[in-house]
Amino acid sequence: EFVIYSCKKESPIYLDTAYQVACKNWSLTVKDIEDILMNSEIIDAIDVHNEFYTLQCYYKGRLSYKGNEYAYEVTAGSFSVLYNRDTSIYLGYFKDKNYFLVKPDSTVD
């Protein structure tokens, strides 16, 4: 189970206008983030590179998972990463629920 301690949306201001609008309108709740993390599959960095869009629009914060604390990022590109000093865990979301701007191996909606 994931216990989320903090959550903040991040999006750089250098993005193109259409992307900035899409990112600005993209919204997740803490409950959404918990659902995303609980229903994601562990993937590796190669999967992230080959199947997911790395978008600079994401939620970040701190959480606890299986007794360990991690920083996390949930990206608009349908993948998440949990990381601490020793570990990085990549998670891909392949379910049908449309939480993201871009689905795996897809195009912007």
Side-chain angles (χ1 to χ4, degrees):
E1 182 173 313
F2 294 92
V3 177
I4 295 178
Y5 301 130
S6 64
C7 177
K8 180 181 177 189
K9 186 174 177 182
E10 296 284 333
S11 57
I13 57 173
Y14 60 82
L15 304 171
D16 66 76
T17 304
Y19 184 80
Q20 273 185 314
V21 170
C23 182
K24 181 180 178 183
N25 292 330
W26 180 57
S27 178
L28 296 175
T29 66
V30 170
K31 186 173 176 6
D32 292 337
I33 292 171
E34 288 172 345
D35 187 61
I36 289 164
L37 295 174
M38 289 188 331
N39 289 291
S40 292
E41 300 174 21
I42 293 177
I43 57 175
D44 60 31
I46 294 170
D47 293 328
V48 171
H49 177 75
N50 291 334
E51 297 182 42
F52 295 87
Y53 287 84
T54 304
L55 304 175
Q56 296 301 311
C57 182
Y58 56 91
Y59 283 83
K60 72 177 189 175
R62 300 206 53 81
L63 59 75
S64 175
Y65 175 62
K66 293 186 176 180
N68 295 307
E69 288 197 21
Y70 296 92
Y72 73 87
E73 293 179 6
V74 175
T75 75
S78 298
F79 76 92
S80 305
V81 62
L82 312 180
Y83 54 94
N84 61 24
R85 185 178 301 191
D86 304 319
T87 307
S88 292
I89 301 170
Y90 293 94
L91 302 168
Y93 189 84
F94 297 96
K95 305 288 185 193
D96 290 333
K97 191 156 185 180
N98 192 18
Y99 284 119
F100 303 97
L101 296 181
V102 182
K103 294 181 180 181
D105 198 28
S106 181
T107 58
V108 174
D109 288 337

